[in-house]
Amino acid sequence: MKAQDGLTGLYNKWKFFSSIQEILDRESEKRYMLICSDIKNFKLINEMFGFTAGDEMLKKIGQFLADNKAPGGIYARIESDKFGIFLEEQYGKEMIQLLSETEFGVDGCNSYLVHVNIGVYEITDKSIPPSLMYDRAIMALNTIKKDRRHQVAYFKKSMWEQMVREQDLYNDLLRGINNDEMMMYLQGLYNAEDKLVGAEVLARWKHPQRGFLPAGMFVEDLEKNGLIVALDQHIWELACRQLHKWSKEGREELFLAVNVSAKDFETIDICGVLMNLIKQYDILPGRLRIEITETALMDDFERNLQVIDQLRENGFIVEIDDFGTGYSALNMLKDISADVVKLDMKFLQKCKDEKKGQVILQTMIDLVKKLKMEVIVEGVETREQLELLKEYRCDVFQGYYLMIP
């Protein structure tokens, strides 16, 4: 088996791990560090300057490590732009400082400077394989990608515990879906004549140990690790099943609104999945409304706008949820082709001047209606709020007050 990486001349990962094990078996009393580094925005280098420039950058970092070898150190390119470094603690600290202070210029464009991110595992448990030590350094490295204010991160036990929790949650979710524990909760939507016209679909988890869980207790974790996609698709199918049931009961005037998350845009063909469900349950697309928040669109705005256009072309009604909570709400309204805008009454609660808040709310409703879009206001909690919104010509209402018999 080859011992060297063909591009940089450093060890490959197999030689790296086996060499670490040999040293730890031989020098069990010394303190060591395992350092993992990767290049910030490495994909951009390949896209902007070409793969040759990317390869040259990898060689440059490999040469930098070779030129700054410490006694007894082991250096490797593990994969892609990730490098592994194994050093005694004192030399490890020096290398971390050196790497964090160094800028690497791209060949052919030295004004474009590159930095590296650094994850560190201070080896406290020498009984685990070096590959798992490297995984711990990677865990630390991955926290930097979530918090770009830092360039160096050290492994903590809490990172491992978080990963275990996420894996348990993943297993729980799959079991929950398979055992019909993931349920939908319908929050009614009423028109100005107090007539039920539809409902928003919310997720609830009937957990066998933890009891009945509202979405707020698990959705955020699912969004962080991407498991929200599986939950969303499950809820979409439950909604279609309910719409089909209502059709058989002669209640085809009712609609359901389901949520679409940012991860759905990233990972699946949203329109394709929804169209398959519509055909499977023999319902009209317009009865399954699609709720999308500003946050869900921001990662790849132009591409996500195309998804929205595709949904509308296929007959789905698109709602902009939580309108007015972001900083670019008016720009969003200008750029997005949607059918419905949802406003939240919490907006008034945050206003120190209630009268001023009411003026802004009325102006927002007027603006949306002038754009020929329907207005839904959620969070209606009192009769006074409901009457005020009717006076402002709001179309549909949702909230706790309307749920009271």
Side-chain angles (χ1 to χ4, degrees):
M1 184 180 291
K2 284 186 177 181
Q4 288 183 309
D5 170 58
L7 186 64
T8 63
L10 301 177
Y11 281 169
N12 60 27
K13 67 177 179 180
W14 308 115
K15 183 64 175 176
F16 181 64
F17 295 149
S18 63
S19 298
I20 291 172
Q21 190 62 62
E22 289 174 10
I23 291 176
L24 292 176
D25 289 343
R26 189 172 64 245
E27 305 282 354
S28 59
E29 299 303 315
K30 292 183 178 179
R31 297 175 65 86
Y32 293 96
M33 284 181 169
L34 198 155
I35 302 165
C36 172
S37 73
D38 71 0
I39 302 168
K40 285 189 177 183
N41 299 318
F42 182 63
K43 288 182 180 178
L44 278 181
I45 298 174
N46 284 331
E47 289 175 8
M48 293 172 63
F49 305 104
F51 289 100
T52 299
D55 286 347
E56 289 303 318
M57 177 57 66
L58 295 173
K59 290 179 185 177
K60 189 175 291 188
I61 292 175
Q63 190 59 52
F64 174 86
L65 295 177
D67 291 342
N68 290 279
K69 275 189 175 180
I74 305 173
Y75 305 81
R77 177 178 170 233
I78 306 299
E79 60 181 351
S80 184
D81 64 325
K82 288 184 172 58
F83 291 82
I85 306 165
F86 174 82
L87 293 166
E88 287 185 44
E89 190 177 69
Q90 66 186 82
Y91 300 122
K93 292 177 179 178
E94 293 172 4
M95 176 55 73
I96 291 166
Q97 183 173 354
L98 187 61
L99 269 175
S100 62
E101 293 174 350
T102 302
E103 296 175 330
F104 300 91
V106 176
D107 283 2
C109 186
N110 285 322
S111 61
Y112 189 94
L113 299 175
V114 171
H115 300 82
V116 297
N117 292 321
I118 302 163
V120 183
Y121 173 54
E122 298 169 298
I123 299 176
T124 53
D125 184 357
K126 296 178 180 176
S127 66
I128 64 174
S131 59
L132 291 184
M133 296 177 185
Y134 175 78
D135 287 344
R136 293 185 175 187
I138 285 286
M139 280 185 218
L141 184 70
N142 287 339
T143 64
I144 299 173
K145 294 175 182 178
K146 298 174 184 175
D147 183 358
R148 297 185 181 278
R149 294 171 296 176
H150 304 291
Q151 191 179 351
V152 182
Y154 289 78
F155 172 80
K156 298 174 184 175
K157 187 180 178 183
S158 59
M159 295 176 186
W160 173 263
E161 292 169 347
Q162 176 63 23
M163 190 183 78
V164 171
R165 279 197 300 272
E166 289 180 359
Q167 185 60 44
D168 287 344
L169 181 63
Y170 176 77
N171 294 335
D172 250 9
L173 176 66
L174 293 182
R175 178 190 48 74
I177 290 175
N178 291 331
N179 295 344
D180 293 325
E181 295 169 13
M182 311 307 299
M183 307 166 65
M184 64 175 188
Y185 171 79
L186 302 184
Q187 191 169 74
L189 294 157
Y190 297 81
N191 65 14
E193 288 75 44
D194 299 332
K195 179 183 177 183
L196 180 70
V197 293
E200 179 181 358
V201 179
L202 304 172
R204 293 290 185 270
W205 192 344
K206 191 177 179 181
H207 197 282
Q209 282 81 44
R210 299 167 64 192
F212 200 65
L213 305 178
M217 293 186 67
F218 58 88
V219 163
E220 187 176 345
D221 286 331
L222 298 182
E223 286 175 339
K224 287 179 183 176
N225 58 32
L227 299 178
I228 190 68
V229 177
L231 176 62
D232 282 346
Q233 291 184 82
H234 179 66
I235 295 298
W236 298 347
E237 180 160 10
L238 291 181
C240 289
R241 199 178 293 169
Q242 181 63 51
L243 289 169
H244 178 74
K245 182 174 181 288
W246 281 342
S247 294
K248 292 172 70 175
E249 295 170 353
R251 306 177 72 188
E252 292 189 336
E253 76 282 1
L254 296 176
F255 66 83
L256 290 175
V258 295
N259 290 284
V260 173
S261 71
K263 290 292 182 184
D264 296 326
F265 280 100
E266 291 175 18
T267 58
I268 62 172
D269 174 8
I270 296 172
C271 190
V273 171
L274 291 171
M275 285 303 296
N276 285 337
L277 288 171
I278 290 296
K279 291 173 184 174
Q280 180 181 346
Y281 288 96
D282 190 26
I283 55 178
L284 295 172
R287 296 183 64 209
L288 186 69
R289 295 193 175 191
I290 312 302
E291 283 197 11
I292 301 169
T293 63
E294 179 180 355
T295 307
L297 295 171
M298 287 302 106
D299 282 346
D300 193 341
F301 191 68
E302 292 301 324
R303 177 182 162 284
N304 293 343
L305 287 186
Q306 293 175 10
V307 175
I308 290 177
D309 289 342
Q310 185 184 17
L311 286 167
R312 297 184 75 231
E313 287 165 6
N314 281 278
F316 293 98
I317 292 175
V318 175
E319 301 181 356
I320 302 175
D321 196 10
D322 293 339
F323 176 76
T325 57
Y327 291 104
S328 56
L330 289 178
N331 273 335
M332 184 183 183
L333 198 59
K334 171 177 67 71
D335 294 331
I336 294 177
S337 297
D339 306 284
V340 181
V341 167
K342 289 190 75 172
L343 305 174
D344 197 324
M345 283 299 290
K346 289 178 183 176
F347 169 79
L348 283 183
Q349 297 171 9
K350 294 177 182 177
C351 290
K352 295 179 181 178
D353 187 330
E354 185 178 350
K355 289 294 183 184
K356 185 184 289 186
Q358 289 177 359
V359 170
I360 294 172
L361 179 62
Q362 184 176 14
T363 303
M364 290 168 69
I365 292 172
D366 288 342
L367 173 63
V368 173
K369 292 187 77 68
K370 284 178 181 178
L371 294 172
K372 309 298 182 187
M373 301 167 76
E374 182 181 299
V375 180
I376 297 176
V377 175
E378 59 184 330
V380 180
E381 297 183 350
T382 67
R383 183 74 196 178
E384 291 73 23
Q385 288 179 346
L386 179 62
E387 293 304 323
L388 181 68
L389 291 168
K390 286 182 179 180
E391 184 182 323
Y392 291 167
R393 297 187 310 119
C394 179
D395 299 297
V396 177
F397 313 89
Q398 175 183 351
Y400 176 73
Y401 173 75
L402 296 155
M403 296 164 61
I404 299 174

PDB file of all heavy atoms in Angstrom, residues 46-65:
ATOM      1  N   ASN A  46     -11.216  26.645  -6.742  1.00  0.00           N
ATOM      2  CA  ASN A  46     -11.415  25.800  -7.930  1.00  0.00           C
ATOM      3  C   ASN A  46     -12.351  26.464  -8.940  1.00  0.00           C
ATOM      4  O   ASN A  46     -12.123  26.408 -10.155  1.00  0.00           O
ATOM      5  CB  ASN A  46     -11.994  24.443  -7.507  1.00  0.00           C
ATOM      6  CG  ASN A  46     -10.950  23.542  -6.875  1.00  0.00           C
ATOM      7  OD1 ASN A  46      -9.763  23.638  -7.199  1.00  0.00           O
ATOM      8  ND2 ASN A  46     -11.370  22.675  -5.979  1.00  0.00           N
ATOM      9  N   GLU A  47     -13.408  27.116  -8.437  1.00  0.00           N
ATOM     10  CA  GLU A  47     -14.391  27.721  -9.331  1.00  0.00           C
ATOM     11  C   GLU A  47     -13.854  28.984 -10.002  1.00  0.00           C
ATOM     12  O   GLU A  47     -14.118  29.241 -11.178  1.00  0.00           O
ATOM     13  CB  GLU A  47     -15.671  28.039  -8.550  1.00  0.00           C
ATOM     14  CG  GLU A  47     -16.446  26.787  -8.148  1.00  0.00           C
ATOM     15  CD  GLU A  47     -17.645  27.111  -7.274  1.00  0.00           C
ATOM     16  OE1 GLU A  47     -17.954  28.307  -7.119  1.00  0.00           O
ATOM     17  OE2 GLU A  47     -18.264  26.167  -6.748  1.00  0.00           O
ATOM     18  N   MET A  48     -13.107  29.795  -9.243  1.00  0.00           N
ATOM     19  CA  MET A  48     -12.648  31.090  -9.761  1.00  0.00           C
ATOM     20  C   MET A  48     -11.370  30.984 -10.582  1.00  0.00           C
ATOM     21  O   MET A  48     -11.196  31.679 -11.593  1.00  0.00           O
ATOM     22  CB  MET A  48     -12.417  32.070  -8.601  1.00  0.00           C
ATOM     23  CG  MET A  48     -13.688  32.481  -7.880  1.00  0.00           C
ATOM     24  SD  MET A  48     -13.362  33.440  -6.375  1.00  0.00           S
ATOM     25  CE  MET A  48     -12.568  34.904  -7.059  1.00  0.00           C
ATOM     26  N   PHE A  49     -10.465  30.090 -10.162  1.00  0.00           N
ATOM     27  CA  PHE A  49      -9.140  30.045 -10.798  1.00  0.00           C
ATOM     28  C   PHE A  49      -8.838  28.720 -11.489  1.00  0.00           C
ATOM     29  O   PHE A  49      -7.803  28.596 -12.144  1.00  0.00           O
ATOM     30  CB  PHE A  49      -8.054  30.334  -9.746  1.00  0.00           C
ATOM     31  CG  PHE A  49      -8.266  31.623  -9.002  1.00  0.00           C
ATOM     32  CD1 PHE A  49      -8.748  31.623  -7.700  1.00  0.00           C
ATOM     33  CD2 PHE A  49      -8.000  32.836  -9.620  1.00  0.00           C
ATOM     34  CE1 PHE A  49      -8.952  32.812  -7.014  1.00  0.00           C
ATOM     35  CE2 PHE A  49      -8.197  34.034  -8.942  1.00  0.00           C
ATOM     36  CZ  PHE A  49      -8.668  34.025  -7.642  1.00  0.00           C
ATOM     37  N   GLY A  50      -9.715  27.720 -11.312  1.00  0.00           N
ATOM     38  CA  GLY A  50      -9.522  26.435 -11.962  1.00  0.00           C
ATOM     39  C   GLY A  50      -8.919  25.393 -11.036  1.00  0.00           C
ATOM     40  O   GLY A  50      -8.315  25.719 -10.005  1.00  0.00           O
ATOM     41  N   PHE A  51      -9.065  24.129 -11.413  1.00  0.00           N
ATOM     42  CA  PHE A  51      -8.586  23.033 -10.571  1.00  0.00           C
ATOM     43  C   PHE A  51      -7.064  22.987 -10.479  1.00  0.00           C
ATOM     44  O   PHE A  51      -6.509  22.528  -9.479  1.00  0.00           O
ATOM     45  CB  PHE A  51      -9.124  21.697 -11.097  1.00  0.00           C
ATOM     46  CG  PHE A  51     -10.594  21.524 -10.861  1.00  0.00           C
ATOM     47  CD1 PHE A  51     -11.528  21.756 -11.873  1.00  0.00           C
ATOM     48  CD2 PHE A  51     -11.068  21.156  -9.615  1.00  0.00           C
ATOM     49  CE1 PHE A  51     -12.886  21.609 -11.643  1.00  0.00           C
ATOM     50  CE2 PHE A  51     -12.431  21.000  -9.373  1.00  0.00           C
ATOM     51  CZ  PHE A  51     -13.338  21.239 -10.395  1.00  0.00           C
ATOM     52  N   THR A  52      -6.382  23.463 -11.504  1.00  0.00           N
ATOM     53  CA  THR A  52      -4.915  23.494 -11.443  1.00  0.00           C
ATOM     54  C   THR A  52      -4.462  24.416 -10.326  1.00  0.00           C
ATOM     55  O   THR A  52      -3.542  24.080  -9.552  1.00  0.00           O
ATOM     56  CB  THR A  52      -4.328  23.968 -12.786  1.00  0.00           C
ATOM     57  OG1 THR A  52      -4.728  23.056 -13.808  1.00  0.00           O
ATOM     58  CG2 THR A  52      -2.806  24.012 -12.719  1.00  0.00           C
ATOM     59  N   ALA A  53      -5.102  25.585 -10.218  1.00  0.00           N
ATOM     60  CA  ALA A  53      -4.771  26.514  -9.138  1.00  0.00           C
ATOM     61  C   ALA A  53      -5.079  25.895  -7.781  1.00  0.00           C
ATOM     62  O   ALA A  53      -4.337  26.093  -6.806  1.00  0.00           O
ATOM     63  CB  ALA A  53      -5.540  27.818  -9.318  1.00  0.00           C
ATOM     64  N   GLY A  54      -6.184  25.137  -7.710  1.00  0.00           N
ATOM     65  CA  GLY A  54      -6.517  24.453  -6.464  1.00  0.00           C
ATOM     66  C   GLY A  54      -5.463  23.435  -6.082  1.00  0.00           C
ATOM     67  O   GLY A  54      -5.051  23.352  -4.916  1.00  0.00           O
ATOM     68  N   ASP A  55      -4.999  22.660  -7.049  1.00  0.00           N
ATOM     69  CA  ASP A  55      -3.940  21.676  -6.786  1.00  0.00           C
ATOM     70  C   ASP A  55      -2.643  22.361  -6.347  1.00  0.00           C
ATOM     71  O   ASP A  55      -1.945  21.876  -5.449  1.00  0.00           O
ATOM     72  CB  ASP A  55      -3.675  20.834  -8.033  1.00  0.00           C
ATOM     73  CG  ASP A  55      -4.778  19.813  -8.296  1.00  0.00           C
ATOM     74  OD1 ASP A  55      -5.612  19.605  -7.385  1.00  0.00           O
ATOM     75  OD2 ASP A  55      -4.802  19.235  -9.398  1.00  0.00           O
ATOM     76  N   GLU A  56      -2.341  23.499  -6.977  1.00  0.00           N
ATOM     77  CA  GLU A  56      -1.122  24.231  -6.611  1.00  0.00           C
ATOM     78  C   GLU A  56      -1.217  24.753  -5.179  1.00  0.00           C
ATOM     79  O   GLU A  56      -0.218  24.791  -4.460  1.00  0.00           O
ATOM     80  CB  GLU A  56      -0.880  25.389  -7.586  1.00  0.00           C
ATOM     81  CG  GLU A  56      -0.456  24.944  -8.980  1.00  0.00           C
ATOM     82  CD  GLU A  56       0.803  24.079  -8.965  1.00  0.00           C
ATOM     83  OE1 GLU A  56       1.754  24.420  -8.212  1.00  0.00           O
ATOM     84  OE2 GLU A  56       0.839  23.062  -9.685  1.00  0.00           O
ATOM     85  N   MET A  57      -2.417  25.150  -4.776  1.00  0.00           N
ATOM     86  CA  MET A  57      -2.604  25.604  -3.398  1.00  0.00           C
ATOM     87  C   MET A  57      -2.371  24.458  -2.415  1.00  0.00           C
ATOM     88  O   MET A  57      -1.728  24.631  -1.370  1.00  0.00           O
ATOM     89  CB  MET A  57      -4.022  26.165  -3.219  1.00  0.00           C
ATOM     90  CG  MET A  57      -4.355  26.602  -1.784  1.00  0.00           C
ATOM     91  SD  MET A  57      -3.213  27.842  -1.122  1.00  0.00           S
ATOM     92  CE  MET A  57      -3.577  29.226  -2.202  1.00  0.00           C
ATOM     93  N   LEU A  58      -2.860  23.266  -2.744  1.00  0.00           N
ATOM     94  CA  LEU A  58      -2.634  22.099  -1.884  1.00  0.00           C
ATOM     95  C   LEU A  58      -1.143  21.780  -1.780  1.00  0.00           C
ATOM     96  O   LEU A  58      -0.631  21.478  -0.699  1.00  0.00           O
ATOM     97  CB  LEU A  58      -3.399  20.893  -2.421  1.00  0.00           C
ATOM     98  CG  LEU A  58      -4.929  21.007  -2.411  1.00  0.00           C
ATOM     99  CD1 LEU A  58      -5.560  19.818  -3.128  1.00  0.00           C
ATOM    100  CD2 LEU A  58      -5.465  21.091  -0.981  1.00  0.00           C
ATOM    101  N   LYS A  59      -0.441  21.867  -2.912  1.00  0.00           N
ATOM    102  CA  LYS A  59       1.008  21.635  -2.900  1.00  0.00           C
ATOM    103  C   LYS A  59       1.720  22.667  -2.040  1.00  0.00           C
ATOM    104  O   LYS A  59       2.675  22.360  -1.311  1.00  0.00           O
ATOM    105  CB  LYS A  59       1.559  21.689  -4.332  1.00  0.00           C
ATOM    106  CG  LYS A  59       1.156  20.530  -5.220  1.00  0.00           C
ATOM    107  CD  LYS A  59       1.746  20.729  -6.615  1.00  0.00           C
ATOM    108  CE  LYS A  59       1.284  19.674  -7.595  1.00  0.00           C
ATOM    109  NZ  LYS A  59       1.815  19.925  -8.961  1.00  0.00           N
ATOM    110  N   LYS A  60       1.261  23.911  -2.136  1.00  0.00           N
ATOM    111  CA  LYS A  60       1.888  25.001  -1.388  1.00  0.00           C
ATOM    112  C   LYS A  60       1.758  24.771   0.118  1.00  0.00           C
ATOM    113  O   LYS A  60       2.719  24.961   0.878  1.00  0.00           O
ATOM    114  CB  LYS A  60       1.237  26.326  -1.791  1.00  0.00           C
ATOM    115  CG  LYS A  60       1.925  27.567  -1.258  1.00  0.00           C
ATOM    116  CD  LYS A  60       1.295  28.836  -1.808  1.00  0.00           C
ATOM    117  CE  LYS A  60       1.564  28.990  -3.304  1.00  0.00           C
ATOM    118  NZ  LYS A  60       1.126  30.313  -3.815  1.00  0.00           N
ATOM    119  N   ILE A  61       0.572  24.344   0.545  1.00  0.00           N
ATOM    120  CA  ILE A  61       0.379  24.074   1.978  1.00  0.00           C
ATOM    121  C   ILE A  61       1.170  22.844   2.398  1.00  0.00           C
ATOM    122  O   ILE A  61       1.774  22.805   3.474  1.00  0.00           O
ATOM    123  CB  ILE A  61      -1.122  23.920   2.288  1.00  0.00           C
ATOM    124  CG1 ILE A  61      -1.818  25.278   2.094  1.00  0.00           C
ATOM    125  CG2 ILE A  61      -1.334  23.405   3.708  1.00  0.00           C
ATOM    126  CD1 ILE A  61      -3.305  25.238   2.255  1.00  0.00           C
ATOM    127  N   GLY A  62       1.214  21.841   1.525  1.00  0.00           N
ATOM    128  CA  GLY A  62       2.026  20.663   1.814  1.00  0.00           C
ATOM    129  C   GLY A  62       3.489  21.030   1.988  1.00  0.00           C
ATOM    130  O   GLY A  62       4.166  20.537   2.910  1.00  0.00           O
ATOM    131  N   GLN A  63       4.000  21.900   1.119  1.00  0.00           N
ATOM    132  CA  GLN A  63       5.392  22.333   1.218  1.00  0.00           C
ATOM    133  C   GLN A  63       5.622  23.157   2.479  1.00  0.00           C
ATOM    134  O   GLN A  63       6.665  23.044   3.132  1.00  0.00           O
ATOM    135  CB  GLN A  63       5.773  23.162  -0.021  1.00  0.00           C
ATOM    136  CG  GLN A  63       7.262  23.471  -0.135  1.00  0.00           C
ATOM    137  CD  GLN A  63       8.107  22.209  -0.197  1.00  0.00           C
ATOM    138  OE1 GLN A  63       7.859  21.318  -1.011  1.00  0.00           O
ATOM    139  NE2 GLN A  63       9.100  22.114   0.696  1.00  0.00           N
ATOM    140  N   PHE A  64       4.649  23.985   2.828  1.00  0.00           N
ATOM    141  CA  PHE A  64       4.741  24.784   4.054  1.00  0.00           C
ATOM    142  C   PHE A  64       4.899  23.880   5.274  1.00  0.00           C
ATOM    143  O   PHE A  64       5.725  24.129   6.155  1.00  0.00           O
ATOM    144  CB  PHE A  64       3.491  25.655   4.195  1.00  0.00           C
ATOM    145  CG  PHE A  64       3.405  26.411   5.486  1.00  0.00           C
ATOM    146  CD1 PHE A  64       4.027  27.646   5.622  1.00  0.00           C
ATOM    147  CD2 PHE A  64       2.705  25.893   6.573  1.00  0.00           C
ATOM    148  CE1 PHE A  64       3.958  28.348   6.815  1.00  0.00           C
ATOM    149  CE2 PHE A  64       2.627  26.581   7.775  1.00  0.00           C
ATOM    150  CZ  PHE A  64       3.252  27.818   7.894  1.00  0.00           C
ATOM    151  N   LEU A  65       4.113  22.811   5.330  1.00  0.00           N
ATOM    152  CA  LEU A  65       4.210  21.880   6.451  1.00  0.00           C
ATOM    153  C   LEU A  65       5.554  21.157   6.448  1.00  0.00           C
ATOM    154  O   LEU A  65       6.177  20.967   7.506  1.00  0.00           O
ATOM    155  CB  LEU A  65       3.061  20.865   6.396  1.00  0.00           C
ATOM    156  CG  LEU A  65       1.648  21.434   6.581  1.00  0.00           C
ATOM    157  CD1 LEU A  65       0.608  20.327   6.428  1.00  0.00           C
ATOM    158  CD2 LEU A  65       1.498  22.116   7.939  1.00  0.00           C
TER     159      LEU A  65
END
